[in-house]
Every structure is written in structure tokens, then in C-alpha cells.
Amino acid sequence: MKESVVDIFMTRESGNHNVSIAIIKGNLEVLSNQLSKLHPKEKIRYDALKYARRKESYLLSRLSAKSAITGLLKVNTPEKIWIDSGVFDFPVVRYAMFPNTCVSITHCEGIGMSTAYDEMHPMGIDLEKISSDKEETILSQITDYEKGLLNKVGMATIFGYTILWCAKEALSKVLKTGMMIDFKLLAIESITSTHKTVECTFSNFPQYKALSHTNDEYAISIVLPRKTEADFTEVWQQFDSID
């Protein structure tokens, strides 16, 4: 299993916050060598899964979450951390020593990513494969106004479309609704682009922003409070080099 954990120091006028972001890559055969890191209740759920694809997805999510959490908290007891599921399937960290720890999880085609943070500073993460096969579906969720924003920054392509999809899904994880929310409520207000990072703000949730990145294959979005300053360049670099 290939793994990278990046510690990020974020700043706000009201105080500073730490977050850890973990990236792991591996197939089921490789990931299954890490079963000792599962909490006993996670192992029960894993054993109950029938299909290899579901088992792989479960391990990508749980193992990346544990790497992010242990990285944030500087502990080495992943088997004592139970990543439970809320009523809308959002992850719930059950760890008596640090009851206010939260995690956001995403996985896609053999890659798992998680961000661990304190609940007083909410965050969300999403990872998507960039594919022309998804273009029609993604475009059905993008407004004419959003297409205009992409045109202005020269990103009216499948790369730009996927970034917006990622940003919206990452926000839905902050809201703990997942895909059950009407994507119209997650409308993008503005888009700015630098060399490595695309920043989006939201029309109906002005307190948040999304910082996103693409390479030739994937798009990543991390949603965080709008007034928080954070540099995710190292995360993008680690992701791009994980192959």
C-alpha cells in the first residue's frame, strides 16, 4: 500500500487550526494486509461484505481515515478508532480519547483520501475521476451561469466541469447530506484560478469555499470555511506523485 500523510497549518483571525490529509493507494490484495488496523466493529462489517469491490472501497475509506486521524492526533492506535456511519451515511469518529475529532472521506478507483479535523472547524473532501463518459451527467448539474464562470477562466472543459462537481459534493459532505441534497442549492458563485489551485465560492453558503486541483486523471476538492487561509500545494504534489 502506498501512503502519504500531509499536515496542514491553517490560519484564521480567531485562531489557528491543524488538519491532516491522508492519501492511500492499493488494490484489495494489498489493502487486506492492513486488517489489523480495523476496529473490531469495523472488522465485523468488513467480513459481512460479499463483493471484492465493496471490500476494497471499505478499506480505502477506513484506512485513509485512520491515517489522517492518527496523523492529526499523533497517536499510533488505529485499531482503537472506530469510524461509524451516521444516519445519512456520513462518517462518525468514535474515539474516547479525542471525542471532537471528525473526518471526511472519499475514494475512487484504488485511491482513498481523508481529511481529519476538529469539529469546530468543518471540512469536506471529494475525489473524482475525470472522464468524458461522465460529461453529460455532470453538465446536467451545472447552470448556464456556472458555465459562464468557467468560460471566463478558460476552464469550460471536462476538467472544469469535474472540479465543480467535486466542489459541490465536498460541500454536501460538510452539510452531512451527501448526494441527497438538490445540487441547485450548492450553486457556485465565483471561480478564480492559479497555477495549481482553483478556488470556488458558493451562492447559498457564502461561509465556505472550495480549493481544488486537477491532474491528467483526477480532480480533488477540499471545502473549508471561507475566511480560513490554507495552502494545499503539498497535498496536490503528494497526490500527483502517489503512482
Side-chain angles (χ1 to χ4, degrees), residues 9-193:
F9 183 72
M10 304 184 297
T11 60
R12 292 177 61 84
E13 288 185 3
S14 58
N16 301 320
H17 300 271
N18 293 320
V19 59
S20 284
I21 297 175
I23 309 163
I24 68 170
K25 183 175 183 179
N27 57 29
L28 179 58
E29 181 181 0
V30 172
L31 296 170
S32 60
N33 294 326
Q34 306 292 319
L35 294 181
S36 62
K37 294 181 180 179
L38 295 183
H39 184 278
K41 292 191 176 182
E42 294 172 333
K43 184 63 164 55
I44 291 171
R45 183 172 178 184
Y46 172 80
D47 288 339
L49 297 173
K50 296 181 179 180
Y51 302 106
R53 186 173 179 179
R54 290 282 293 127
K55 285 178 175 286
E56 181 178 290
S57 297
Y58 187 78
L59 289 179
L60 285 170
S61 65
R62 267 39 187 188
L63 294 175
S64 66
K66 287 168 185 286
S67 291
I69 293 167
T70 55
L72 176 67
L73 302 178
K74 308 306 177 190
V75 297
N76 192 31
T77 52
E79 72 283 356
K80 294 184 179 180
I81 302 168
W82 173 23
I83 312 297
D84 199 0
S85 296
V87 294
F88 299 130
D89 208 32
F90 53 83
V92 177
V93 180
R94 298 193 182 276
Y95 190 31
M97 292 177 61
F98 297 92
N100 301 114
T101 303
C102 297
V103 68
S104 182
I105 300 170
T106 185
H107 58 80
C108 180
E109 297 192 356
I111 298 176
M113 291 187 70
S114 293
T115 178
Y117 56 93
D118 189 283
E119 67 178 343
M120 70 187 297
H121 187 275
M123 297 182 69
I125 192 169
D126 190 58
L127 168 68
E128 297 288 340
K129 179 81 169 180
I130 297 171
S131 172
S132 58
D133 294 340
K134 299 178 181 179
E135 187 167 349
E136 184 176 349
T137 299
I138 294 175
L139 280 173
S140 70
Q141 301 298 324
I142 295 178
T143 66
D144 289 341
Y145 176 76
E146 291 168 340
K147 292 176 186 175
L149 292 176
L150 288 171
N151 273 318
K152 287 181 180 178
V153 294
M155 294 182 60
T157 65
I158 186 60
F159 290 86
Y161 304 149
T162 307
I163 280 179
L164 295 199
W165 179 277
C166 264
K168 293 179 181 184
E169 189 158 352
L171 177 60
S172 77
K173 293 178 181 181
V174 174
L175 303 175
K176 297 186 177 180
T177 63
M179 300 292 282
M180 290 179 286
I181 193 171
D182 186 341
F183 262 37
K184 293 178 182 176
L185 295 174
L186 308 177
I188 302 297
E189 177 185 50
S190 68
I191 303 172
T192 56
S193 177

Side-chain angles (χ1 to χ4, degrees), residues 210-222:
L211 300 180
S212 305
H213 170 74
T214 63
N215 58 25
D216 292 338
E217 296 185 83
Y218 296 95
I220 311 166
S221 288
I222 300 172

Side-chain angles (χ1 to χ4, degrees), residues 4-6 8 21-23 106 113 115 123-127 163 166-167 170 194-200 209-216 218-224 230-243:
S4 178
V5 180
V6 181
I8 302 293
I21 297 175
I23 309 163
T106 185
M113 291 187 70
T115 178
M123 297 182 69
I125 192 169
D126 190 58
L127 168 68
I163 280 179
C166 264
T194 63
H195 177 59
K196 289 287 186 180
T197 302
V198 177
E199 180 175 322
C200 299
K209 64 183 176 184
L211 300 180
S212 305
H213 170 74
T214 63
N215 58 25
D216 292 338
Y218 296 95
I220 311 166
S221 288
I222 300 172
V223 167
L224 66 162
D231 183 357
F232 293 111
T233 301
E234 186 177 355
V235 177
W236 312 149
Q237 292 173 341
Q238 291 297 319
F239 181 84
D240 291 346
S241 64
I242 198 168
D243 284 339

